[in-house]
Amino acid sequence: MRAAPLDIRNLSAGYGPTRIIEQVSFEIGAGERLAVLGRNGMGKTTLLATLMGLTTRHAGEIRLNGEDIAGCRTSARAGRGLGYVPQTRDIFASLTVEENLRAGLKGQPQSMLEEAYEIFPRLRERRGNFGRQLSGGEQQMLSMARTLLGKPSILLLDEPLEGLAPVICDELMELLARLVAKGEMTIVLVEQQVERALEFASKVIVLERGRISWSGNPRTLMQDQALVDRLIGVGIH
Ligand SMILES: Nc1ncnc2c1ncn2[C@@H]1O[C@H](COP(=O)(O)OP(=O)(O)OP(=O)(O)O)[C@@H](O)[C@H]1O
Ligand SMILES: [Mg+2]
């Protein structure tokens, strides 16, 4: 049997000596879509950052296709197929859209830029605009497009819908659905828009103070508003 693309075992991590993530374990199969839910400050961003090697790991394993990468540097993790779109949308404000995308090419052919523009036609229209001139939604698209140029097999998305208008959210969610429909990508989605996340996900974990307080099928949460309220404390309607 092939090893799971991502298999996390007893992961504990934080910032220096401070522990934020406590004994987190989960596994994601190829083409699966994991939603990571939880209230503010519960450790969602820290979990993704830990997968990328950007925090202090205290214990546990991070297995990528069967190999423990917990000791690898961030760049090596990216090289092995982990793509990360951080909550802060790290685009270069003083570079144009196209220059930002070129920075994501990492030696790949220029023709890849066309692929990115096909996925995000809006970015083609604004290819000469500076990062700082983009709307929040466009910045999110640029950040995602640049990560996708690295052809990740596992895409980690930290609140991609934050601050975006509902129609842009629809556009981005449709795009993600198209990406996973090809069956090539596994997605970990941290999102506060619970309803959209549950519609998208095939599996859910809920974090509470850095621990998994619930995990299971998104349908279970969709049908149980009281459980959602208890776990996440927000309505889904
Ligand atoms: N760089 C840091 N140094 C020290 N503590 C941090 C740092 N970043 C976050 N924390 C702390 O870690 C805890 C978890 O934060 P984290 O950003 O992972 O939460 P989150 O679930 O992503 O929240 P949000 O929904 O607000 O984005 C919080 O208590 C936060 O104050
Ligand atoms: Mg966060």
Side-chain angles (χ1 to χ4, degrees), residues 28-34 148 152-155 157 172-189 199-202:
I28 326 177
E32 260 201 295
R33 307 167 303 281
L34 177 76
L148 289 174
S153 55
I154 299 174
L155 184 61
L157 297 168
L172 270 177
M173 291 313 290
E174 276 166 29
L175 172 85
L176 288 181
R178 281 204 300 278
L179 286 174
V180 289
K182 291 186 187 164
E184 294 160 2
M185 208 177 280
T186 302
I187 296 194
V188 180
L189 173 69
E199 269 169 22
F200 175 76
S202 57

Side-chain angles (χ1 to χ4, degrees), residues 157-168:
L157 297 168
D158 198 348
E159 298 206 31
L161 305 180
E162 195 176 19
L164 303 188
V167 320
I168 308 288

